[in-house]
Structure formats: structure tokens, C-alpha cells
Amino acid sequence: MELLTVIGVLAILACLVVPAISSGAMAANRAKCASNLRQIGQAILLYAGDHDGVLPVTSHSTGDSRVKLNGKWLNSIEYSWVYLLADYLDNVDKVRVCPADEAIRQRQILQMKATSYLLNDEVFDSEVYGRFQNLPHPSRLMLAFISNRPVSRTWDHAHCADWTAWPALTTDVAVDRHRTGERAGSRLKGSANYLFADGHVQNMQATEVKAILDRGENPWLPGG
């Protein structure tokens, strides 16, 4: 009887401790991810300052082609925005990977010269908004997101103009990357970090993002 009592107590403690540990790990990864995005935001600002306000572009514009930049021919990997920003980051291989990504995904990102984060193609690949000084409402305009796309060096951008419905948005963005437990089919369990044009990073619940979309608001569109 005493043994059964001890086993019962241990089982109860395990039920209490395991969720707490999982929640703590999630919070730590969320904070590290937010730090990554803040560093990316600072790097974008510094890059624009060194290039007359011009923002780095994504593979949406460059694809797999070679591009001439400042008199030097660069291949598509070298021209990827995350590597254009490398000189402005302390450790590009650390910053470009979200710590909440699954371990296998993190390894793929490092091996394939990819990134966990997507830039807003409606900003960075726009002739009008591709200059920092032309960005409207910086405190409301989203610049970068956590990727839900397959790992690829050419998937470094989000197709924000296509986000007319929840499935389209969640195809691009891991709106629930920071969560405990299994992913919900609706993608409504959990949260994600978002980088805004003024440099601040905000953690938003997936339910909050869906509500914004359902209201017809478009903080990811410069003209929205």
C-alpha cells in the first residue's frame, strides 16, 4: 500500500513538473527568437543606412540568378538577404535559425544556407517601398515572420499579398511556432514573433493574428 502511495505521488508530481519544464523551454526559445528578429531589424536599418536607404531584396526578385552588386558579381546564396546582412550581425548562423524549430529543421537550415525567417516581399521587393524612408506607419507594418515553408534558400520571403484567407497565411508563416504540446490542425494553438518596421518585435497569439485577418486588416501590406 505504501509503495502504491509513493508511485501515485510521483505520478502526480510528474504531471505537474513536465508541463512546467515544457512551458519554460518554450518561453526561453520564444525570447531567443525575439532577439534574433530584433537583430535582423537592426541589421536591416544599418544596411539601409549604408545603401542610401535601399533595403535588401529577397529571392522573389533574384531567384537563382547571379546579380551584380556594388561592382561585384554574387551568386544567389551570397545575395540572399540574410547573407547581405551578415556583416551587420554578430553571428549570422545563430541569428538565422529560430531556436523553436525542430532539431532536424534547424540542421537543414544550416546545411542549405537557408533561414527560419521570411521577409515581407511586399516591402523588400517593391520599387516604392524598397527604400526605408518610404515605409508607411513603421510601428504597424510587419517586416519579418517565422517561416512555415519547406527549407530552401529561395524560400526567404512571404507572399503577403496572397493572404486573403487563413490557410494562405499559415502556409507561409508558422503562426504557432511557440507552443507547448502538439500542433493543432487549425494552427490556432500557440504564438509567433513578428518584426515591425520600427524595429520592435511583438509576440502574437495565432488567434489574434486570425482575428486581424478576419477583420480585413492588413498590417503586412504597406498600403493596407
Side-chain angles (χ1 to χ4, degrees), residues 75-109:
N75 62 38
S76 59
I77 293 179
E78 294 172 322
Y79 200 70
S80 170
W81 65 264
V82 73
Y83 290 102
L84 286 181
L85 299 180
D87 289 343
Y88 304 94
L89 298 168
D90 289 337
N91 186 337
V92 66
D93 285 336
K94 182 177 180 180
V95 173
R96 66 188 171 97
V97 179
C98 175
D101 282 344
E102 295 180 350
I104 188 171
R105 183 177 175 89
Q106 292 189 38
R107 289 195 297 270
Q108 290 173 341
I109 288 170

Side-chain angles (χ1 to χ4, degrees), residues 4-197:
L4 290 175
T5 301
V6 171
I7 292 173
V9 171
L10 291 176
I12 293 172
L13 289 176
C15 290
L16 295 173
V17 171
V18 171
I21 292 174
S22 178
S23 179
M26 184 271 290
N29 285 337
R30 184 177 62 203
K32 292 176 184 176
C33 172
S35 176
N36 287 352
L37 282 170
R38 275 192 291 271
Q39 290 183 64
I40 289 172
Q42 292 170 357
I44 289 171
L45 180 60
L46 292 171
Y47 179 93
D50 286 343
H51 295 83
D52 297 322
V54 176
L55 300 173
V57 294
T58 78
S59 64
H60 192 138
S61 296
T62 62
D64 287 319
S65 62
R66 296 176 73 235
V67 179
K68 194 171 186 178
L69 180 68
N70 298 329
K72 179 182 178 182
W73 284 100
L74 304 175
N75 62 38
S76 59
I77 293 179
E78 294 172 322
Y79 200 70
S80 170
W81 65 264
V82 73
Y83 290 102
L84 286 181
L85 299 180
D87 289 343
Y88 304 94
L89 298 168
D90 289 337
N91 186 337
V92 66
D93 285 336
K94 182 177 180 180
V95 173
R96 66 188 171 97
V97 179
C98 175
D101 282 344
E102 295 180 350
I104 188 171
R105 183 177 175 89
Q106 292 189 38
R107 289 195 297 270
Q108 290 173 341
I109 288 170
L110 288 170
Q111 292 168 359
M112 299 174 68
K113 304 294 185 181
T115 175
S116 296
Y117 303 104
L118 306 178
L119 293 189
N120 184 339
D121 71 333
E122 289 294 303
V123 172
F124 292 89
D125 297 316
S126 166
E127 292 185 6
V128 175
Y129 300 114
R131 287 183 174 274
F132 191 83
Q133 58 268 31
N134 293 344
L135 296 181
H137 312 298
S139 64
R140 301 202 306 267
L141 178 61
M142 293 179 175
L143 289 190
F145 320 89
I146 305 172
S147 176
N148 195 44
R149 285 285 185 175
V151 177
S152 168
R153 73 169 184 265
T154 57
W155 272 122
D156 63 352
H157 59 280
H159 291 161
C160 297
D162 296 339
W163 295 355
T164 56
W166 187 239
L169 193 158
T170 56
T171 294
D172 276 352
V173 181
V175 294
D176 56 352
R177 180 63 82 228
H178 302 301
R179 66 180 184 277
T180 56
E182 295 296 321
R183 165 176 266 182
S186 64
R187 304 294 191 266
L188 291 174
K189 177 187 175 184
S191 68
N193 292 321
Y194 299 85
L195 171 67
F196 288 76

